[in-house]
Amino acid sequence: MADQDNTEDVGAYEHDISESAFRQYWRENLTLMGVLLAIWFLVSFGAGILFRDFLDRWSIGGAPLGFWFAQQGAIYVFVILIFVYSALMHRIEQRFDVDDDEG
């Protein structure tokens, strides 16, 4: 049976920072995600579809560049963006003192 006392806490977030700092933290987090998703969209949809004809003037390993972005480049960029997000979020968390690091 579910604990009925916890129903008031649904959707509430506990944090040790002020409400304005918490809002600023989430604003920076959402801005970072928006920028990184825009980059991924431009690389995957833009380079692979919209600008494919232009990019196909060049090639990588014998494959036209637009085709290469559609098949492999977008995946490489996505993996790189994951590491970039992780590193930048770590900095943001340290700045707002909400990181999990000891010491």
Side-chain angles (χ1 to χ4, degrees):
M1 183 172 176
D3 187 8
Q4 294 182 357
D5 292 336
N6 290 335
T7 57
E8 295 176 10
D9 293 334
V10 173
Y13 299 100
E14 291 186 25
H15 48 85
D16 295 332
I17 59 177
S18 70
E19 191 64 27
S20 64
F22 183 73
R23 289 179 189 269
Q24 181 66 25
Y25 165 77
W26 274 109
R27 186 176 307 122
E28 290 192 25
N29 184 4
L30 293 176
T31 301
L32 176 62
M33 284 194 295
V35 168
L36 295 179
L37 285 173
I39 291 170
W40 186 51
F41 174 79
L42 286 174
V43 170
S44 63
F45 192 75
I49 297 172
L50 295 177
F51 307 115
R52 181 179 176 201
D53 292 335
F54 176 75
L55 293 174
D56 281 349
R57 296 176 187 176
W58 301 279
S59 64
I60 292 180
L65 187 58
F67 177 78
W68 184 84
F69 266 109
Q71 297 299 314
Q72 296 180 7
I75 296 169
Y76 292 147
V77 170
F78 183 69
V79 171
I80 291 168
L81 291 178
I82 290 171
F83 288 107
V84 169
Y85 175 78
S86 177
L88 294 178
M89 274 307 299
H90 187 68
R91 281 190 200 166
I92 291 172
E93 288 175 351
Q94 284 181 330
R95 187 165 7 118
F96 287 96
D97 198 25
V98 293
D99 60 332
D100 295 338
D101 293 345
E102 297 291 326

